[in-house]
Amino acid sequence: MGAPPPLSWTSRRTRRSGRRRRGRWPGISLQVLPLGIPGQAGLNGPFALLETPEHQHSSRAETQRGSLLGRDRDELGILTRKCAGLRSQALNFVEKKGLLDRLSGER
């Protein structure tokens, strides 16, 4: 089984456009990290912190071994601190919007 075919420019642009639209959804925070930061908080893979309307918290992390769902307080605390680190390293709103506009070909 070979590598998947590379995405066409149109496919990449469509994906980027979708990310930009999802970044406008209420309750969604999209963090874009600049390249070249040593010890970047996002190097261990994607994760999501979730909160229900009843204020119950859970997490979802993607690892090499698959997706992990969790409600352990200690793990949620670690991911909450990691999220704070990501926010401190991420591009601000104006930088992020400009980057996503350029990547989607809108500017």
Side-chain angles (χ1 to χ4, degrees):
M1 189 156 135
L7 291 173
S8 69
W9 176 252
T10 305
S11 296
R12 289 183 188 137
R13 193 167 147 188
T14 302
R15 271 193 187 175
R16 290 181 189 121
S17 248
R19 286 187 194 115
R20 188 166 178 259
R21 281 191 308 275
R22 284 189 296 277
R24 291 189 213 146
W25 290 350
I28 300 293
S29 176
L30 176 66
Q31 303 300 324
V32 178
L33 299 173
L35 296 173
I37 296 177
Q40 188 183 91
L43 292 177
N44 290 333
F47 69 95
L49 292 173
L50 310 166
E51 182 177 0
T52 68
E54 295 79 29
H55 305 290
Q56 294 177 343
H57 296 91
S58 63
S59 66
R60 179 173 186 251
E62 295 291 328
T63 69
Q64 291 176 338
R65 298 176 64 197
S67 294
L68 300 173
L69 298 174
R71 295 191 66 192
D72 177 67
R73 285 185 183 267
D74 292 336
E75 186 64 26
L76 287 169
I78 290 167
L79 288 176
T80 300
R81 288 189 295 281
K82 184 176 177 180
C83 191
L86 286 169
R87 284 190 177 131
S88 72
Q89 294 175 343
L91 300 178
N92 67 37
F93 177 79
V94 174
E95 294 167 330
K96 178 173 48 178
K97 183 180 179 315
L99 174 66
L100 292 174
D101 284 347
R102 285 190 308 277
L103 291 173
S104 65
E106 293 185 21
R107 192 169 15 129

